[in-house]
Amino acid sequence: MENKTSAIDLNTIDPNRIMLEATDIIKQYKQYDDVVTAVNRASIKVHEGEFVAIIGSSGSGKSTFMNICAGLDKPNAGSVKIRSREITKMGADELNRYRGMNIGVVFQKHNLIPQFTAYENILVPTMMCRRDEFSYEEHLKKLIPMLGLSDRLHHLPSELSGGQQQRVAIARALINMPQILFADEPTGNLDRKNADEVLELLLETRAEIGLTLVMVTHDMKIAKRADTVYTMDNGYLLSRKINFDEVQ
């Protein structure tokens, strides 16, 4: 019988290896007779296993930049590489498959299918991009308890709290064991208690399976937990030193 694995081998994580490299990203939109530059020559390097937070005001371009890095949007110029694979040069079919197999995304809105149970929602990515090299059953045995969903798997989204729905969305993003997880304001719609719980779950999951995490957030308490913090300002991405002692 073929031996299948259920998790990333933590011994293979190399903190010196570049997981994500975006170079000189430009994204522009035409607005009436004007051209709006949402992202202006933004570059970033994220190492394997690193937790990077991108902060900035609303409209600063941080979500647009994240979407480009995650392969959800195309830049007008620049390149994005995941593990040295340049996703910006991939065709639509190749990119969709690569993203489904290697990239996880969690949004502020959980975007669950209302007619599907929590369990069915979690398995949606496997219907499109199923991986054969590890056991989903073994992975789920570890992932579900970790996210506190053991007694909610057969509930519809309408029967779950906001925090539980976001946990399902996180499980869905992690079901294919992605190399990197992008999270866009994943706690933005939650109260403080649920936000703190979801953050802890993300960080515990990251440590447990060796995940690289890139998170867009306006929450300085979340940014304080990151290994590296960048700020987005009017389309420009800059590293930023923050006096976290001033953050309440």
Side-chain angles (χ1 to χ4, degrees):
M1 181 181 232
E2 183 184 358
N3 183 27
K4 295 184 179 181
T5 182
S6 62
I8 296 171
D9 182 355
L10 296 181
N11 294 323
T12 67
I13 301 299
D14 182 357
N16 296 313
R17 186 159 48 202
I18 301 297
M19 174 63 73
L20 164 68
E21 183 174 10
T23 306
D24 291 333
I25 298 298
I26 297 175
K27 183 65 179 180
Q28 296 176 321
Y29 299 98
K30 191 166 183 180
Q31 193 173 66
Y32 302 108
D33 294 329
D34 297 327
V35 174
V36 176
T37 301
V39 181
N40 200 339
R41 295 196 177 279
S43 299
I44 194 172
K45 287 184 181 180
V46 179
H47 292 83
E48 195 169 90
E50 188 176 10
F51 172 22
V52 169
I54 302 175
I55 63 174
S57 60
S58 178
S60 62
K62 59 187 186 297
S63 292
T64 301
F65 180 63
M66 191 210 79
N67 286 341
I68 292 170
C69 289
L72 299 172
D73 197 1
K74 289 277 191 181
N76 296 101
S79 68
V80 176
K81 295 180 181 179
I82 304 287
R83 272 276 184 89
S84 300
R85 290 281 306 275
E86 188 168 352
I87 65 173
T88 38
K89 287 187 176 180
M90 292 180 179
D93 290 343
E94 182 184 6
L95 177 58
N96 286 337
R97 180 161 180 79
Y98 184 84
R99 191 173 59 237
M101 301 280 278
N102 299 282
I103 299 172
V105 185
V106 179
F107 298 99
Q108 182 173 344
K109 294 183 179 179
H110 49 76
N111 297 322
L112 301 179
I113 300 172
Q115 298 86 0
F116 282 15
T117 64
Y119 182 75
E120 291 166 337
N121 268 284
I122 291 169
L123 290 178
V124 164
T126 71
M127 301 174 189
M128 298 174 285
C129 298
R130 187 172 182 87
R131 297 178 63 175
D132 296 324
E133 67 270 27
F134 69 89
S135 166
Y136 283 101
E137 292 75 15
E138 291 301 314
H139 183 36
L140 281 169
K141 285 179 184 177
K142 194 172 189 179
L143 187 61
I144 297 305
M146 191 185 304
L147 294 174
L149 292 171
S150 299
D151 60 346
R152 292 291 183 268
L153 289 180
H154 301 294
H155 288 64
L156 295 172
S158 60
E159 299 170 321
L160 302 174
S161 69
Q164 290 166 343
Q165 290 177 37
Q166 194 63 304
R167 293 177 191 211
V168 173
I170 292 169
R172 180 183 58 191
L174 295 175
I175 188 61
N176 265 337
M177 290 299 296
Q179 297 179 357
I180 184 169
L181 178 70
F182 293 92
D184 188 2
E185 299 280 9
T187 63
N189 283 340
L190 304 177
D191 58 40
R192 186 76 258 171
K193 179 178 181 295
N194 276 303
D196 289 343
E197 288 179 357
V198 166
L199 174 63
E200 291 303 324
L201 287 168
L202 280 170
L203 296 184
E204 288 171 12
T205 305
R206 171 201 170 217
E208 185 71 23
I209 66 176
L211 194 67
T212 304
L213 177 60
V214 178
M215 186 183 299
V216 166
T217 183
H218 68 276
D219 191 331
M220 297 296 282
K221 288 186 177 181
I222 291 178
K224 185 176 181 179
R225 306 287 297 276
D227 299 315
T228 308
V229 180
Y230 290 85
T231 185
M232 203 90 189
D233 185 14
N234 198 30
Y236 293 94
L237 185 71
L238 305 168
S239 59
R240 179 182 182 186
K241 290 185 178 180
I242 299 171
N243 182 4
F244 284 115
D245 292 335
E246 297 178 357
V247 179
Q248 300 300 319

